[in-house]
Amino acid sequence: MKRYYIFLLLVLAQVCASAQALRVAVAGVSHGHSGWILGRANRNDIQLAGIYEKDTALAGKVARQYHIPPQQVYHDLGRMLDAVKPQAVLAFGSVYSHREVVEACAPRGIHVMVEKPLAANLPDALAMDSLARRYGIHLLTNYETSWYPTVAKTFQLLEDSSFAGRVRKVVIHDGHQGPQEIGCSPAFLSWLTDPVLNGGGALMDFGCYGANLMTRLMKNRMPVAVTAVTRQYKPDRYPKVDDDATIIVDYPDAQCIIQASWNWTFSRKDMEVYGDKGYIIAADKNTLVLRNRESAPAVTRQVTATDIPVYEDPFLYLAAVVKGKETPPPYGLYALPNNVLVLRILEAAKESARTGKKVLFTVQR
């Protein structure tokens, strides 16, 4: 009898945990990052209710790979949303498809998290922003660097202790050897290297990281100008889009240089912040290099999530926001106002690269 009661308690605990889990669905599975949620270990905090993918062959392949029951696989987005009734949807299709996902989810009151960037172009970003505000849903954008303890620590040091003083220059490097070179799937490559479906090449794919981080640092201040140069070092591999971009984002009292590329000799996501008292370099997820007038020579520190609060799992952050446990500040890395401004910066960068001229933000773009 005692064993029976223990078993019953375990079952009840599982039922309670399942009831508290965030019920999510996935819209599109062609993005190489879709495995983050499809292959995520079941910890009773996120419940995957269904996936939508219009490419039936791709949907079948993914379902077999991740052992997703056939009854949870849909080829019509609206039908899936009405059938599984998720609390939130994770968009892992092309960047261009993000608007379609929000158009389907917002009127149904379903929250959305998209992979970076928010949209493939500024008009789509503005339309998505309007829909999210009209229907009162959360619309978050997920960047890998949002999970980094070093990024969170950098902002804390700048804002709480003024370690580096007034920020004057920020240099941000993002990218890798190239999507073909690192083995992205054909389904991923088919839209990642398309100027419409991705909005561009490396400029969009990796320039968005720098724009997102600098916008957070400037707390959504509008820049005064954007200048950009793009290159095609590998036109045989990427004939339709740029594979290297340098973006200069100017503010009245600071400047950000974003270097986004599919031509690095290795993958990198790092940020250098220089102030009038010192500098902070987030060399990777866990390594900070610090120096100011009181701490010469430079000091290298290892930073983890035990040192500073940061969600290293973006889906737990989504769950916390949906359940009201977290409220993203407008300038937050995931937040909609930040990411609409990111698209303004990226659109200006594309225009500057196309025309060879600096784009001024004299009026709201």
Side-chain angles (χ1 to χ4, degrees):
M1 183 64 71
K2 184 177 180 181
R3 288 182 179 179
Y4 171 78
Y5 282 118
I6 292 174
F7 173 76
L8 183 61
L9 287 173
L10 289 173
V11 170
L12 289 173
Q14 291 178 347
V15 170
C16 290
S18 177
Q20 294 173 357
L22 183 72
R23 186 175 176 83
V24 304
V26 173
V29 296
S30 59
H31 198 299
H33 296 170
S34 61
W36 290 344
I37 183 65
L38 299 176
R40 187 177 185 275
N42 182 13
R43 295 183 299 190
N44 295 320
D45 48 16
I46 303 291
Q47 178 189 3
L48 180 60
I51 67 170
Y52 153 73
E53 174 54 58
K54 63 182 179 181
D55 184 331
T56 55
L58 177 61
K61 178 182 178 181
V62 168
R64 291 189 296 273
Q65 179 181 358
Y66 293 103
H67 309 291
I68 298 171
Q71 62 270 25
Q72 290 187 344
V73 180
Y74 295 82
H75 307 298
D76 180 280
L77 178 57
R79 184 173 298 175
M80 179 194 70
L81 297 176
D82 293 336
V84 308
K85 294 180 170 52
Q87 294 170 274
V89 164
L90 305 167
F92 284 102
S94 73
V95 181
Y96 187 77
S97 71
H98 291 175
R99 177 172 178 171
E100 174 192 16
V101 173
V102 175
E103 287 175 337
C105 290
R108 292 174 168 87
I110 300 169
H111 306 288
V112 179
M113 174 180 274
V114 303
E115 283 301 292
K116 59 80 190 170
L118 172 66
N121 55 68
L122 182 57
D124 281 4
L126 296 175
M128 293 160 66
D129 176 50
S130 177
L131 284 165
R133 287 187 287 105
R134 177 181 177 185
Y135 291 103
I137 68 163
H138 293 291
L139 175 52
L140 305 180
T141 304
N142 180 33
Y143 297 79
E144 181 183 337
T145 44
S146 301
W147 324 336
Y148 286 10
T150 50
V151 168
K153 190 65 178 178
T154 296
F155 292 134
Q156 182 193 61
L157 287 170
L158 291 170
E159 295 171 3
D160 294 353
S161 67
S162 190
F163 179 89
R166 286 184 65 87
V167 174
R168 295 303 187 196
K169 189 176 292 291
V170 180
V171 184
I172 301 172
H173 309 94
D174 288 288
H176 49 46
Q177 300 93 318
Q180 285 191 35
E181 289 84 346
I182 67 170
C184 289
S185 70
F188 194 7
L189 285 171
S190 68
W191 62 260
L192 186 61
T193 58
D194 185 289
V196 174
L197 299 181
N198 191 46
L203 184 150
M204 291 293 290
D205 189 29
F206 285 113
C208 61
Y209 281 98
N212 174 245
L213 291 166
M214 189 61 178
T215 297
R216 162 66 180 84
L217 188 58
M218 295 288 104
K219 294 189 176 179
N220 289 6
R221 289 169 56 197
M222 188 76 72
V224 297
V226 171
T227 309
V229 176
T230 56
R231 300 291 298 271
Q232 269 192 319
Y233 290 116
K234 294 179 281 194
D236 55 326
R237 286 182 178 248
Y238 310 113
K240 298 180 181 179
V241 293
D242 63 275
D243 55 51
D244 191 90
T246 299
I247 306 168
I248 301 174
V249 187
D250 280 311
Y251 297 82
D253 55 355
Q255 184 184 78
C256 181
I257 301 170
I258 301 168
Q259 299 188 58
S261 184
W262 290 345
N263 290 286
W264 297 117
T265 51
F266 47 82
S267 296
R268 64 184 304 183
K269 290 184 176 71
D270 53 81
M271 174 173 61
E272 305 169 6
V273 183
Y274 300 93
D276 56 12
K277 294 181 181 178
Y279 63 72
I280 304 170
I281 299 175
D284 54 37
K285 179 180 179 180
N286 298 114
T287 307
L288 270 185
V289 181
L290 306 170
R291 184 174 183 178
N292 66 10
R293 293 170 184 169
E294 287 76 41
S295 64
V299 176
T300 299
R301 290 179 54 187
Q302 293 299 303
V303 183
T304 70
T306 60
D307 301 307
I308 186 166
V310 61
Y311 283 85
E312 294 187 288
D313 182 330
F315 311 120
L316 288 183
Y317 182 75
L318 171 64
V321 171
V322 170
K323 294 176 181 180
K325 297 178 181 179
E326 293 282 352
T327 302
Y331 51 82
L333 295 171
Y334 292 91
L336 187 54
N338 174 307
N339 284 286
V340 171
L341 183 48
V342 167
L343 260 295
R344 295 187 187 279
I345 292 170
L346 295 178
E347 286 285 283
K350 287 191 284 186
E351 183 179 346
S352 174
R354 180 182 63 83
T355 62
K357 299 178 181 179
K358 177 184 291 187
V359 175
L360 301 177
F361 280 70
T362 52
V363 295
Q364 183 88 348
R365 288 178 55 81

